[in-house]
Amino acid sequence: MTTRTLQKVIESAATSDGAGVKLRRSLGSSQFQRLDPFLMLDEFGTENPDDYIAGFPNHPHRGFETVTYMLDGHMLHQDHLGNRGDLKSGDVQWMTAGRGIIHSEMPQQLQGRMRGFQLWINLPAREKMKPPAYRDIPASQIPGVDLPGGGRVKVIAGTLVVEGKATPGPIQGLSTDPLYFDVALPARAAFAHPIPPDYNAFLYVYEGGVDVGPAGAARVLKMRSAGVLSAGDVMAVTAGAQGARFILLAGKPIKEPVVQYGPFVMNTHEEIEQAVRDYQSGELTRV
Ligand code: FE2
């Protein structure tokens, strides 16, 4: 059994997107900071409504999936198909853009804290042009499991196994087979979990800090940083003196060329040009 070590740290950087929403981007801050099949991770977290109130008005996507996880706040999603979803604290929206979607993501609160993540997961070539779809997963459908050594894990995608007991999350059976856990640990508590050896994995610490890797060779991963893990079949962390909250992501790499132009992620430049033409002509969302 090989415990994965901390191979690379991607510190998040402040940026803005949409109509001026302030956020912190780690994965995806450049084309060299992706981890197949994960394209991008944004953390949004602020007490100041001016940082989020303008939201993300209508914009297109093609060729991948977006996963929004709200820790705190209230966001309304609407798309060109007439779908409408109300995302509140603890809820997840899993959207497959496929061949094309035009949607808006707008905060529904005028004050208070807005906090959460948006993750982009790539689709393999054979699925990039499939019909768009999305799932709203209320917090009540996301299982939470208490850890024997203290702490708690919410299982958003994939299956958690603790002391031989399997807890499947609501998202299963995708071709990238993603694992998406939200983990909270008290000070000095440990958490370890198997990850298939051929999957890429990273964690993103949003409170406190963790030591990543096997005992004796662990490295510190600080808050607001993504830690890419080396190959191995188990991930293992220990929370620092302040405890820790982090998300853990793992997935099966697609191993195809990635060409991204803003909200379009395809395999070739020609496909990107086609996506832009389709957006301009209305073909992107023609049913
Ligand atoms: Fe979007």
Side-chain angles (χ1 to χ4, degrees):
M1 204 171 70
T2 313
T3 302
R4 291 174 179 244
T5 56
L6 183 58
Q7 186 179 51
K8 174 179 164 183
V9 174
I10 305 172
E11 286 177 23
S12 66
T15 183
S16 70
D17 209 338
V21 178
K22 288 193 181 149
L23 45 82
R24 299 191 70 89
R25 183 162 296 164
S26 48
L27 256 71
S29 49
S30 84
Q31 60 171 311
F32 307 107
Q33 308 287 19
R34 298 181 185 127
L35 182 69
D36 187 10
F38 303 106
L39 298 163
M40 193 186 86
L41 178 70
D42 286 345
E43 176 190 11
F44 45 96
T46 176
E47 313 269 344
N48 179 3
D50 292 343
D51 291 345
Y52 60 73
I53 209 75
F56 300 86
N58 268 339
H59 59 278
H61 293 290
R62 172 177 277 181
F64 60 101
E65 304 190 274
T66 71
V67 182
T68 308
Y69 176 31
M70 292 292 285
L71 292 170
D72 298 297
H74 183 180
M75 184 105 85
L76 180 69
H77 166 270
Q78 288 181 291
D79 68 23
H80 74 280
L81 296 167
N83 294 313
R84 193 183 149 93
D86 225 356
L87 233 62
K88 300 203 178 73
S89 302
D91 295 349
V92 168
Q93 183 196 67
W94 201 287
M95 187 190 80
T96 305
R99 65 184 297 273
I101 201 146
I102 295 178
H103 73 162
S104 62
E105 299 157 290
M106 301 299 290
Q108 296 299 296
Q109 56 182 56
L110 299 171
Q111 57 189 19
R113 192 166 207 199
M114 175 77 104
R115 188 159 76 138
F117 301 97
Q118 187 166 93
L119 174 74
W120 289 13
I121 308 179
N122 206 0
L123 287 169
R126 65 179 184 281
E127 292 183 42
K128 282 187 177 295
M129 295 297 278
K130 70 181 183 183
Y134 81 103
R135 269 188 73 182
D136 276 339
I137 305 156
S140 60
Q141 286 176 20
I142 299 171
V145 175
D146 291 324
L147 298 172
R152 190 171 170 81
V153 181
K154 287 190 195 173
V155 189
I156 296 166
T159 299
L160 176 78
V161 181
V162 173
E163 294 185 317
K165 185 176 182 296
T167 305
I171 297 290
Q172 301 281 338
L174 304 181
S175 57
T176 50
D177 192 27
L179 185 98
Y180 190 161
F181 297 165
D182 178 13
V183 183
L185 296 176
R188 308 294 181 203
F191 173 68
H193 199 272
I195 292 174
D198 54 333
Y199 284 23
N200 286 328
F202 75 98
L203 45 106
Y204 181 88
V205 180
Y206 62 94
E207 282 182 23
V210 289
D211 293 335
V212 182
R219 282 178 60 197
V220 175
L221 181 63
K222 291 185 188 159
M223 190 167 86
R224 293 192 166 144
S225 293
V228 175
L229 303 182
S230 69
D233 36 31
V234 172
M235 68 77 64
V237 301
T238 305
Q242 313 299 320
R245 291 186 72 182
F246 62 90
I247 51 174
L248 170 65
L249 281 307
K252 195 177 189 174
I254 294 170
K255 298 179 180 168
E256 289 176 3
V258 175
V259 183
Q260 177 175 2
Y261 178 71
F264 306 127
V265 182
M266 303 301 288
N267 298 109
T268 67
H269 290 283
E270 291 69 29
E271 289 166 348
I272 289 292
E273 285 163 17
Q274 187 65 51
V276 172
R277 278 198 302 274
D278 287 353
Y279 177 47
Q280 287 164 348
S281 70
E283 186 62 32
L284 187 92
T285 50
R286 197 152 290 150
V287 186

